[in-house]
Amino acid sequence: MTTLTKTEGAPVPTGSDPFLSVRDLYVRFSTEDGIVKAVDGLSFDLQKGQTLGIVGESGSGKSVTNLAVLGLHNPASTEIAGEITLDGQELTGARERTLQKLRGNKMAMIFQDPLTALSPYYTVGRQIAEPFIKHTGASKREGRQRAIEMLTKVGIPQPGLRVDDYPHQFSGGMRQRAMIAMALVCNPALLIADEPTTALDVTVQAQILDLLKDLQQEFGSAIILITHDLGVVANMADELLVMYAGRAVERGTVKDILTAPQHPYAWGLLGSMPRLSASVDEPLHPIPGSPPSLLNPPSGCPFHPRCAFTSEVGGTRCADERPLLAPGRASACHLTAEQKHTFFTEQIKPRLG
Ligand SMILES: Nc1ncnc2c1ncn2[C@@H]1O[C@H](COP(=O)(O)OP(=O)(O)OP(=O)(O)O)[C@@H](O)[C@H]1O
Ligand SMILES: [Mg+2]
C-alpha cells in the first residue's frame, strides 16, 4: 500500500533491538460497505520478558492488530502495510510456510473466542498435542502425555479422562482453558493473550495469570495482553498502549498511565472501567457518544467528536490536524503538557476517586 504515509516514529528508545517491533501498521478490510480502516498507522515495541497491555474500547483494533502479527488475516480481503519484525525476522513479507512454522511454536495466541481456535472434529487432547508433536518431533504417546500435563496446569479436573473429550463436551470456561493449554504447549517466546480470562471465574483467572507469569519467568517470553480489566493490567503489564480507532493514543508504563493519564480518551476509559479498588456502589462514567465508524473515521484527532477539551486547544485544530504520538511516554493530543496535567489533576482525578 504505497499511498500510505508514515505517521509515527519509534515508540520507546531502547538500547537493544526490540524482540517484537511493529512500525506504521495499517490494516484495511474491503467490505460491501467500503474500506474498513481497522488499524491506522500503529507502532509499538516489545522486549523479551516484558508484558505489554493493550486497552481500548470495543472495535478499536486490538484483535486485528494482533492477528496481523500472527499473519492470520485473509489476504484476499485484507490490505496490510507496515513492518512487523519478530526477533530480527521480518513477518509482513514472510511466506505462509514461514509463518506457519512460527505460529504455535515461537509465537502463539490465546484467542478471544475459544471456538475460533478449537476444531469440533478432534479431541481436545489431540489439538493440544498437535503443535507439540509438530514442533518437537515427539511421539503421539508423548504428545498425549504433554496434553494431560497442560490440562492439569490449566486446572481441568480429571485431565487423564478429559483429554479424550471433544470441545463440545467441555463447558465454555473449560474450552477457554483448553485453548490456553494449546497456546502454551510449546512455551512460545511471544504470547498474545486476547482477553484470556474474561470468561473465567476469579479463582481460575488468578491461576491462569500465574501460569502466564511462570511462562515468562521460565522462558523470558514476551506477552501482549489485551484486556478490559484494569486490575489485570495493573497486576500483569509493564507497559501499556491505549488504542482508539485503530491508533495508539497513549503509551507509557502502566504506573504512569494508571496514575497520570494524559489523553482525554484515557481519562474517559479509566472512568468507564471497573477497578478492583472501587466500592460496589461507585458509579461508572461511560464515555459520551459512540465509537467512530471505521469506514469513514473522523478527520484530525479521531476522538475529537467525543472530546470535552477541543475548545481548550482552540479553533478547529483537533478536527483538522492529526496529533502524532512522540517517542517514549507520550499521548497523541494537541493539548499542551501543562494543560494535560492541570485538567487531569483538577477535573478528572477527583471524579475517579
Ligand atoms: N474481517 C473483517 N472484515 C471487516 N471488518 C473487520 C474484520 N475484522 C475486524 N473488523 C473491524 O475492524 C475493527 C476492529 O476490530 P477488532 O476486532 O480489532 O476490535 P477490538 O478492539 O478487538 O474489539 P473488542 O474489544 O470488541 O474485541 C472493528 O470495526 C471490526 O468490525
Ligand atoms: Mg477483540
Side-chain angles (χ1 to χ4, degrees):
M1 220 187 318
T2 47
T3 49
L4 299 172
T5 50
K6 280 195 170 251
T7 49
E8 270 142 37
V12 188
T14 52
S16 57
D17 280 346
F19 183 60
L20 172 72
S21 148
V22 173
R23 284 287 172 283
D24 287 304
L25 180 69
Y26 291 81
V27 182
R28 297 183 166 180
F29 299 107
S30 304
T31 68
E32 281 185 3
D33 301 323
I35 307 282
V36 176
K37 294 170 185 144
V39 180
D40 192 30
L42 181 71
S43 299
F44 65 88
D45 280 346
L46 180 58
Q47 303 289 345
K48 272 202 141 179
Q50 294 279 301
T51 299
L52 173 74
I54 302 187
V55 295
E57 274 173 314
S58 187
S60 56
K62 306 181 296 295
S63 297
V64 167
T65 299
N66 287 291
L67 290 171
V69 172
L70 286 167
L72 285 176
H73 287 298
N74 175 5
S77 56
T78 319
E79 203 178 355
I80 299 182
E83 210 173 79
I84 302 171
T85 317
L86 180 70
D87 204 9
Q89 186 170 9
E90 166 68 59
L91 300 185
T92 10
R95 288 159 186 252
E96 181 50 31
R97 263 190 59 167
T98 310
L99 292 170
Q100 259 178 21
K101 263 195 189 161
L102 293 172
R103 277 197 301 263
N105 185 21
K106 192 159 187 174
M107 55 184 186
M109 179 150 174
I110 298 172
F111 291 89
Q112 199 166 6
D113 168 15
L115 295 177
T116 328
L118 293 172
S119 158
Y121 304 115
Y122 299 103
T123 63
V124 169
R126 181 168 166 183
Q127 293 184 65
I128 296 172
E130 194 191 270
F132 183 71
I133 292 172
K134 194 166 126 198
H135 296 296
T136 65
S139 68
K140 268 192 172 171
R141 223 173 68 92
E142 288 164 333
R144 191 184 140 86
Q145 253 338 95
R146 175 73 177 165
I148 295 173
E149 186 191 327
M150 292 310 296
L151 287 174
T152 313
K153 278 195 182 180
V154 295
I156 301 287
Q158 297 184 290
L161 292 175
R162 304 308 297 253
V163 70
D164 295 320
D165 279 358
Y166 287 85
H168 74 265
Q169 291 168 284
F170 272 32
S171 71
M174 284 164 77
R175 278 199 287 267
Q176 179 97 5
R177 282 183 274 165
M179 188 186 47
I180 293 169
M182 200 163 111
L184 299 185
V185 71
C186 289
N187 301 317
L190 172 66
L191 177 72
I192 298 173
D194 196 347
E195 299 282 0
T197 56
T198 328
L200 306 175
D201 49 49
V202 183
T203 43
V204 178
Q205 176 173 335
Q207 188 184 353
I208 297 296
L209 295 177
D210 279 346
L211 206 59
L212 301 189
K213 280 186 182 162
D214 289 349
L215 172 84
Q216 193 160 50
Q217 255 180 0
E218 197 171 337
F219 300 97
S221 305
I223 299 180
I224 296 180
L225 183 65
I226 303 171
T227 178
H228 282 92
D229 190 330
L230 287 183
V232 170
V233 166
N235 182 15
M236 294 286 295
D238 304 291
E239 300 250 324
L240 195 57
L241 195 68
V242 182
M243 285 188 68
Y244 188 78
R247 300 183 193 176
V249 294
E250 184 157 354
R251 176 200 319 112
T253 63
V254 167
K255 186 165 174 277
D256 279 350
I257 295 191
L258 294 189
T259 53
Q262 298 177 341
H263 197 286
Y265 172 64
W267 299 341
L269 199 63
L270 251 58
S272 68
M273 281 180 164
R275 285 163 306 129
L276 285 180
S277 58
S279 64
V280 184
D281 51 1
E282 200 173 296
L284 295 174
H285 304 279
I287 304 173
S290 44
S293 155
L294 298 176
L295 286 167
N296 188 15
S299 60
C301 169
F303 188 58
H304 87 263
R306 299 168 77 184
C307 185
F309 297 89
T310 49
S311 58
E312 303 291 346
V313 170
T316 56
R317 191 169 172 213
C318 295
D320 295 340
E321 190 186 322
R322 174 173 175 156
L324 298 183
L325 196 65
R329 163 81 177 117
S331 60
C333 169
H334 292 308
L335 290 172
T336 63
E338 201 186 334
Q339 283 175 317
K340 288 171 189 169
H341 176 75
T342 312
F343 294 147
F344 177 69
T345 26
E346 289 177 6
Q347 299 182 31
I348 308 294
K349 204 171 173 190
R351 267 199 284 146
L352 293 178

